[in-house]
Amino acid sequence: MRTPLRLAVLVSGRGTNLQAIIDGCKSGEIRGTVSVVVSNRPNVLALRRAEDAGIPHYVIQSRDYGKWPDCRNEYERAIIDILKDFDIDLVVLAGYDRLIGDVFLNAYPQRIINIHPSLLPSFPGLHAQKDALEYGVKVAGATVFFVNPVMDGGPIIAQEAVPVEEKDTVETLSARILQVEHCILKRAIRLIADGRVSIQGRRVIIT
Ligand code: GRF
């Protein structure tokens, strides 16, 4: 990968992970730059964060392309068109709540990463923290992985655990996990930017 790495960050909501990446690039921790932010939802805090950082940002809504999932290919092509304009090296899904389809995967093979608030392969899906709490695990955490066609099932780049405490609610556990999300997401991008990450089958090798 060339450096500074040109990053696209896809978001859907409040954008604390986006903010961590922006800050990590700014401080020099990550040899990269957030070149563009794309949201599938209008008026979200993540877009304000991009605006405040002077980063070009776009809203691409699937409903403008037809009914989901029939419109998926066209919707993904619209996002890819933007990313191509910005000559993107790595796509980071940071709280982005849409599944990635073949069109996107083929446009950026092994160059899309995602952050998930559980220790995968436990608790994939949209309610990871709640599912972990209800299951009764004593250790929770977060995972950064390369996106593949299996939901939350791609090769794992980084993971970090946090304890589950007796008094935890979904909110308190989510907040504890979020702190480690920010750390491991920045760490994973830094390792990729530094050319230290390769994929061998299911395993990600870090040198
Ligand atoms: C994070 O918990 C992320 O793991 C999940 O959605 C949340 C997004 O948070 N997929 P933010 O928008 O980065 O603050």
Side-chain angles (χ1 to χ4, degrees):
M1 292 265 192
R2 71 181 153 171
T3 48
L5 204 61
R6 294 180 62 80
L7 304 166
V9 183
L10 270 56
V11 295
S12 302
R14 94 203 128 158
T16 63
N17 279 289
L18 167 66
Q19 191 67 56
I21 301 166
I22 293 171
D23 295 346
C25 291
K26 211 164 155 195
S27 71
E29 187 184 342
I30 298 169
R31 291 198 295 161
T33 176
V34 180
S35 301
V36 66
V37 170
V38 178
S39 174
N40 63 327
R41 297 179 192 280
N43 308 316
V44 292
L45 184 53
L47 289 165
R48 264 256 298 289
R49 295 177 191 274
E51 172 80 26
D52 289 349
I55 298 166
H57 48 90
Y58 297 83
V59 177
I60 305 289
Q61 289 181 277
S62 61
R63 66 164 185 226
D64 293 336
Y65 299 87
K67 203 162 169 278
W68 190 264
D70 306 344
C71 66
R72 175 182 278 163
N73 291 353
E74 221 191 314
Y75 162 74
E76 291 195 338
R77 273 186 213 108
I79 298 176
I80 292 163
D81 281 348
I82 293 172
L83 305 196
K84 294 289 176 204
D85 283 347
F86 285 90
D87 197 16
I88 293 304
D89 299 308
L90 183 72
V91 181
V92 183
L93 311 184
Y96 178 69
D97 62 11
R98 277 255 185 253
L99 286 176
I100 298 293
D102 289 344
V103 167
F104 212 147
L105 284 171
N106 292 335
Y108 289 92
Q110 304 192 335
R111 287 196 292 153
I112 307 175
I113 67 171
N114 193 8
I115 175 79
H116 182 77
S118 80
L119 291 174
L120 290 170
S122 293
F123 313 118
L126 275 181
H127 309 288
Q129 303 97 325
K130 181 168 178 280
D131 294 345
L133 206 54
E134 283 176 359
Y135 192 94
V137 292
K138 300 295 187 195
V139 177
T143 303
V144 184
F145 61 96
F146 282 105
V147 176
N148 73 3
V150 181
M151 184 190 64
D152 296 331
I156 290 170
I157 308 166
Q159 288 187 303
E160 196 164 315
V162 300
V164 180
E165 290 168 8
E166 302 301 331
K167 286 189 186 146
D168 265 335
T169 61
V170 175
E171 288 69 33
T172 57
L173 179 60
S174 299
R176 195 174 308 118
I177 293 172
L178 193 62
Q179 299 308 312
V180 304
E181 288 184 39
H182 298 162
C183 292
I184 64 171
L185 186 54
K186 280 192 289 182
R187 190 195 310 152
I189 298 169
R190 175 166 53 80
L191 290 168
I192 293 169
D194 291 349
R196 295 177 56 193
V197 174
S198 60
I199 307 178
Q200 288 175 18
R202 266 221 60 87
R203 296 187 67 192
V204 172
I205 308 298
I206 295 170
T207 50

